Amino acid sequence: MRKPKTIGVGQLVLQIVFPDEQTNNAAGETQEHEPAASSAPAEPSSNKQPKRKWYSLIDKVYALPNLVSAWLKVKDNHGAAGIDPMSVDTFDQDALQRLEQLSADLRSKSYRAQPVRRKFIAKSGGGQRALGIPTVRDRIVQQALLQVLEAIFEAKFSNRSHGFRPDRGCCTALGVVDRAVRHGYTWVVDADIRSFFDTVSHDKLLGAVNEEIADGSVLKLISQILKAGVVLPSAHEMEPTQMGTPQGGPLSPLLANIYLHAFDVQMAEAGYGLVRYADDFVIFAKSEEAATEALNLARQVLEGQLSLSLHPEKTRVVSVTTGFEFLGFHYFGHPETGRIVKEVRPKSARRFREAIRRHTPTLKTQRRVKRKHVTLTRLRKNPWVMGMIGAVNRHLQGWHGYFRSVWSRYPETPFRNFDGFVRARIRSAITGKVGPSWTHVQLNNRTLAALGLMSLDALQREYHTGKQSAPARKG
């Protein structure tokens, strides 16, 4: 009888199966070590046969049908213009002729990527995130490249990677985390890669692409996109980009997954329970010692091989009971029952309140209304009120579609505080009054429901009774 393979510190691995995986191996028994993120076996690290590489791909990139398909995706995204004045609407006025010219430029190798326009957006936790917005023309080229390269790299990507991949996402990543927690993996490496998209080594990234792609024209095109430079909001001069892959272009997520694939493979070969979504990841273990060893290996690969760095203040080994955050959720142990709870993390709750405030503005010219004028009949005829409630409802539906998988301390009313905040904002927007007053009687919960305002707790009840079928998506 064949001895089972030992991994890591000499223990067996729990196989956690994805919902969409078809395999003969169910979630198996385990001994003392951490879970693999899926049932797929780790690739052997030696004795590999030479692989075929992909040649002559550039003609697929500049093929007019591929560019037309890429343009339609860029058009659907309704993105902003880059450093030139060309908007999506302007490009659309003569799209076919422009695409034919773009195809000719790529074929003749006269195409040159323009610098991206730097834009800063606020982070929910403070600070700013830098985006790089390519021109419409450059976005089409990146999308065309993505359409050719994605299937090639999907064939090799690890099941431990979930971000920006077909048929994967936050839902599959969180599903693995949920199963790991339920299978008793009580320690976790909660890690943060510092400024990942700004610190990617171009040479290492192109080397990773070259493992599969041997077409020099494609490699030069990717290199040109990476080194196109950036124009800052307050300056008109271009700054060179010596490293990094700017967030904002269609190709950036694929390049990020290519860059981190070596990390996925080495963590899998060592038997560690990695769950990664883009540059955000956690690693599960059965003991603090095993989790510490996993962190040491992660640091060795990320810092030693990939020239990245882990944030010293945001990277830690912690027990699940103490708590950790991942993809918008906060997992922790209930202090009284010891039961593991999965709730909306504080940053996500703040972001929810900010969004509801935007949907429920108090008009500057609004005068406080009299109580006798606040009736169900009048409000139903008010287009501004009904439009506001419609916008709030659309946000609630999408948000609940993502956060409905909570394991709340209050299972009957897991979103009661969120519902209360929404109702208070609606009352304030309609009447101009803040705080307890006659508005709570005149615009009670039943009246707001009669106006069509949705309730997150009601949506949750529908979900649990099977009446709600909308797929979960990131909120």
Side-chain angles (χ1 to χ4, degrees):
M1 178 172 152
R2 186 178 177 184
K3 289 182 66 176
K5 183 179 178 181
T6 58
I7 303 177
V9 292
Q11 309 295 340
L12 300 182
V13 169
L14 168 68
Q15 303 295 338
I16 295 181
V17 185
F18 287 113
D20 58 341
E21 281 184 313
Q22 298 298 322
T23 176
N24 293 326
N25 297 324
E29 296 295 322
T30 181
Q31 293 180 15
E32 303 284 358
H33 205 42
E34 51 281 345
S38 80
S39 62
E43 300 88 343
S45 58
S46 61
N47 300 323
K48 289 184 179 179
Q49 296 299 319
K51 277 180 14 177
R52 283 186 58 190
K53 290 190 177 184
W54 291 83
Y55 295 83
S56 302
L57 290 174
I58 191 64
D59 59 318
K60 281 75 174 175
V61 175
Y62 64 64
L64 190 58
N66 187 46
L67 291 176
V68 170
S69 175
W71 153 242
L72 293 176
K73 287 184 172 61
V74 170
K75 180 182 176 181
D76 287 344
N77 286 334
H78 303 291
I83 63 168
D84 64 1
M86 178 72 70
S87 67
V88 170
D89 290 339
T90 303
F91 192 97
D92 194 25
Q93 293 172 8
D94 201 3
L96 184 57
Q97 183 176 344
R98 296 180 194 277
L99 292 173
E100 289 173 343
Q101 183 60 55
L102 180 57
S103 176
D105 291 346
L106 288 166
R107 185 168 58 250
S108 65
K109 296 182 173 58
S110 61
Y111 166 82
R112 295 293 180 270
Q114 293 184 283
V116 299
R117 177 170 65 87
R118 176 69 78 218
K119 181 179 180 180
F120 295 97
I121 61 173
K123 291 184 179 180
S124 59
Q128 291 184 315
R129 175 177 286 109
L131 299 181
I133 302 176
T135 64
V136 173
R137 198 168 188 257
D138 292 342
R139 292 207 294 275
I140 295 170
V141 172
Q142 290 193 35
Q143 181 64 39
L145 272 168
L146 175 66
Q147 292 171 177
V148 172
L149 298 180
E150 185 175 59
I152 294 172
F153 284 95
E154 271 298 313
K156 70 177 283 187
F157 281 161
S158 168
N159 285 335
R160 291 154 178 79
S161 167
H162 298 261
F164 305 102
R165 296 182 58 192
D167 301 320
R168 292 176 181 270
C170 293
C171 185
T172 56
L174 290 166
V176 178
V177 171
D178 290 352
R179 288 192 290 277
V181 170
R182 284 170 170 159
H183 276 89
Y185 288 85
T186 54
W187 288 87
V188 62
V189 177
D190 184 10
D192 181 83
I193 302 176
R194 184 177 0 211
S195 304
F196 169 75
F197 287 93
D198 297 328
T199 57
V200 167
S201 164
H202 290 173
D203 291 340
K204 293 180 187 293
L205 174 55
L206 291 170
V209 175
N210 186 227
E211 290 180 8
E212 299 293 328
I213 307 301
D215 187 329
S217 296
V218 170
L219 293 172
K220 288 179 182 177
L221 184 57
I222 295 173
S223 178
Q224 187 185 136
I225 291 169
L226 292 173
K227 300 180 185 299
V230 59
V231 175
L232 298 174
S234 58
H236 298 288
E237 295 182 359
M238 185 270 289
E239 290 189 0
T241 46
Q242 303 298 333
M243 59 170 44
T245 169
Q247 291 177 272
L251 192 60
S252 182
L254 176 63
L255 295 179
N257 281 331
I258 292 172
Y259 197 78
L260 290 171
H261 176 66
F263 172 61
D264 299 339
V265 170
Q266 292 186 61
M267 297 304 292
E269 288 177 345
Y272 291 118
L274 170 70
V275 185
R276 182 175 67 80
Y277 185 95
D279 61 329
D280 195 4
F281 70 90
V282 288
I283 308 170
F284 288 95
K286 281 266 187 168
S287 68
E288 183 176 9
E289 179 185 4
T292 301
E293 291 177 355
L295 175 56
N296 290 338
L297 178 59
R299 181 172 281 114
Q300 176 184 329
V301 175
L302 293 171
E303 298 183 351
Q305 298 179 27
L306 298 179
S307 302
L308 301 169
S309 63
L310 292 173
H311 198 297
E313 297 176 1
K314 298 180 181 180
T315 300
R316 58 183 184 150
V317 170
V318 64
S319 70
V320 173
T321 301
T322 301
F324 69 97
E325 295 180 351
F326 189 61
L327 297 181
F329 287 93
H330 181 208
Y331 294 81
F332 62 97
H334 192 286
E336 295 178 3
T337 65
R339 174 174 169 265
I340 299 301
V341 176
K342 174 188 177 186
E343 294 187 345
V344 180
R345 71 171 182 169
K347 284 184 181 179
S348 298
R350 287 198 297 271
R351 194 177 299 157
F352 172 87
R353 291 192 290 269
E354 290 166 2
I356 294 300
R357 288 189 184 101
R358 290 194 298 270
H359 288 306
T360 56
T362 301
L363 301 179
K364 293 182 179 179
T365 58
Q366 179 177 347
R367 290 180 294 180
R368 293 188 177 182
V369 298
K370 295 181 179 180
R371 180 172 182 172
K372 65 180 181 179
H373 293 155
V374 182
T375 66
L376 185 59
T377 301
R378 281 176 176 250
L379 293 175
R380 279 175 170 167
K381 294 179 179 179
N382 188 314
W384 178 78
V385 170
M386 299 310 294
M388 174 179 62
I389 290 176
V392 168
N393 282 344
R394 288 189 291 274
H395 184 80
L396 293 179
Q397 284 182 302
W399 190 89
H400 177 261
Y402 183 77
F403 286 104
R404 64 189 183 184
S405 63
V406 295
W407 309 335
S408 176
R409 289 170 285 183
Y410 312 101
E412 298 301 319
T413 55
F415 300 116
R416 59 182 178 179
N417 290 337
F418 295 95
D419 279 336
F421 179 80
V422 172
R423 291 170 183 138
R425 288 294 307 177
I426 294 287
R427 293 183 184 111
S428 177
I430 291 173
T431 66
K433 297 179 71 67
V434 179
S437 66
W438 58 263
T439 61
H440 283 67
V441 177
Q442 202 74 2
L443 290 173
N444 56 39
N445 294 356
R446 183 176 298 178
T447 300
L448 293 177
L451 288 171
L453 180 65
M454 291 181 173
S455 159
L456 290 170
D457 277 339
L459 289 173
Q460 189 73 355
R461 286 191 292 272
E462 290 179 7
Y463 168 60
H464 283 303
T465 57
K467 295 180 180 179
Q468 186 189 90
S469 59
R473 62 178 178 83
K474 189 170 183 180

